[in-house]
Amino acid sequence: REEPTAMSRADDERPPKRRRVLSDAEDEPTRELQRDPLDIRGSLLELHQNMPSFSDVCVVVEGSKSSQEFACIGAVLASASRPLAAMLYGESSRMVTPSAGSSRPRLLLRGTEPWGFDLLL
């Protein structure tokens, strides 16, 4: 019989990516799903790398010397910033305009430098 290596022992000790937390009653649906924070971080990094294919809004950032377009996911922006949430879905949603030749609506941000918005993403 082979002795397990340190690598295989570490793999066995790693928690599963997702774990259901069962409810008290058998007939009730699961109330919670727990994930390892590192797994969530990996998922968010993958989402960021594939942003152009998942995006539903184009944010045009006009700074003092340059402007840049960013393909974004509106719900992710809204969860990260209350002002962006208001611009995309709330009282200021009139700022989002249809885009000519593109299926994505556009949000124009003036007075913000593109490098700063890129850091937010």
Side-chain angles (χ1 to χ4, degrees):
R1 181 170 185 243
E2 282 187 6
E3 182 67 28
T5 64
M7 180 71 107
S8 66
R9 275 194 300 255
D11 289 342
D12 292 339
E13 295 168 5
R14 213 178 290 157
K17 285 187 175 185
R18 295 183 179 118
R19 184 177 66 122
R20 291 184 188 271
V21 178
L22 301 176
S23 64
D24 296 333
E26 289 181 24
D27 58 345
E28 284 186 35
T30 302
R31 286 185 267 162
E32 189 176 332
L33 186 66
Q34 294 178 347
R35 284 182 76 178
D36 178 22
L38 292 176
D39 181 45
I40 294 171
R41 179 179 165 81
S43 295
L44 289 173
L45 286 172
E46 183 179 342
L47 180 66
H48 182 69
Q49 291 167 348
N50 295 308
M51 190 73 71
S53 60
F54 295 128
S55 68
D56 61 351
V57 65
C58 177
V59 179
V60 181
V61 180
E62 289 185 354
S64 59
K65 297 181 181 179
S66 65
S67 67
Q68 187 173 348
E69 292 186 6
F70 296 89
C72 299
I73 300 171
V76 174
L77 289 179
S79 70
S81 164
R82 285 186 180 172
L84 288 173
M87 289 178 213
L88 291 166
Y89 302 111
E91 300 166 0
S92 303
S93 62
R94 66 185 177 285
M95 296 176 74
V96 178
T97 59
S99 174
S102 174
S103 61
R104 293 185 194 119
R106 297 167 68 86
L107 173 62
L108 177 61
L109 297 179
R110 290 190 174 116
T112 301
E113 295 302 323
W115 63 265
F117 189 78
D118 191 38
L119 284 177
L120 173 70
L121 293 178

